[in-house]
Amino acid sequence: MRQVYLDYAATTPVKEEVLKEMIPFFSENFGNPSSLYTKGSASKEAIMIARRKVSSLIGADENELFFTSSGTEADDWAIIGIADALKSKGNHIITTGIEHHAVLHSCEYLAKNGYEITFLPVDKEGRVRAEDLENAITDKTILVSIMYVNNEVGTIQDIKELCRITKSKNVVFHTDAVQALGNVKINVKELGVDLMSISGHKIYGPKGIGALYIKRGTKISDFMHGGAQENKKRAGTENLTGIVGFGKAAELAELNSENHITKVTELRNYFIDQVFEKIDDVFLNGSREFRHPGNANITFEFIEGEAMLLYLDLLGISVSTGSACSSASLTPSHVLTCLGVPVEKIHGSLRFTIGDPTTKEDIDYVIEKLVEVVAKLRAISSVSKAKGW
Ligand SMILES: *Cc1c(COP(=O)(O)O)cnc(C)c1O
């Protein structure tokens, strides 16, 4: 049976070139980067090269990039580290209602510890309105955290403009750019951001490695106390293989960026057009214009997304309902709720995310099966409705 993975926003497979680059650093070049002999300095050198490659992908200087264990850790560090460093200045933080849980839950933790959090609303496409941000900033505001690209509906924010407003009031700006990396051209200097979170496993690198960009001169508390790694800000012996893999993935992403974006956008548009042509009562969630190239978040009226997911899984197709984090529970997606999508439509929503390995044949297979699954489930749901179940 054909296997079609359409959940590249959840994670991506490690590219062969990336794996090849990583392998020698497990058992051959395994030296501790802090050791002074040759085996150690070879590892240190490999980390330096990887840091250069990842920095280059976002237009940062090498000494402004700090490796972390994940995108989640980078988000946690940015938010809690700024809150702690600037607590004498104020206790107000602004974010949005559509952030990843790494940001939302860090803010909720701070709310329990004396901080005030404003969760900005978004419009029906998922975009933050500049005037809402402007009106929310007070003289107690120390941090604004707004994601670059949403992981569920793919909406892209105007980070440059939101950052300009924030900086004009002398407030620190953080963006979670985990979904943006490799899918949107990023330059931290042009955007003007102070902090940016990124992750390896969303760009065909390994899991368990991320990074936080910290603009030179930004006051932030250290994340991990111990050794001198990552300029003493994030102690702990480096994830050497992970860092090397992230570096290679970043290098490939930079080389292929235009091809990747064009190819994935074309397939995604073809997919959406086919769904709309072959299935009735469907809606596209999010923005058509400001959208992650590979994202299609679609509501299928009158059916449960979870039932569709399970049927599609039996046919070898992997997709997601809302964000992977909430897929174990039936609480409606906080992102779709924030966009104003009614609860019954949220329950009929699926997220399809296309990636580099996806082919047109994959899409054709998924369309064929989707048509069958939707027809089957709608037949069941109309029977149950008629019988008053
Ligand atoms: C995946 C993701 C994260 C978390 O990154 P991990 O490396 O998986 O911890 C954070 N934010 C967004 C938008 C993501 O998509």
Side-chain angles (χ1 to χ4, degrees), residues 8-11 68-75 98-103 147-152 176-180 197-202 206-211 325 351:
Y8 290 91
T11 194
T68 62
S69 71
S70 56
T72 298
E73 183 184 312
D75 283 341
I98 61 163
E99 298 297 314
H100 189 273
H101 283 144
V103 167
M147 74 197 316
Y148 202 151
V149 177
N150 182 268
N151 46 303
E152 287 190 39
D176 172 344
V178 173
Q179 289 293 332
S197 307
I198 53 178
S199 176
H201 75 102
K202 306 281 174 84
K207 294 168 183 59
I209 185 72
C325 314
R351 178 186 74 180

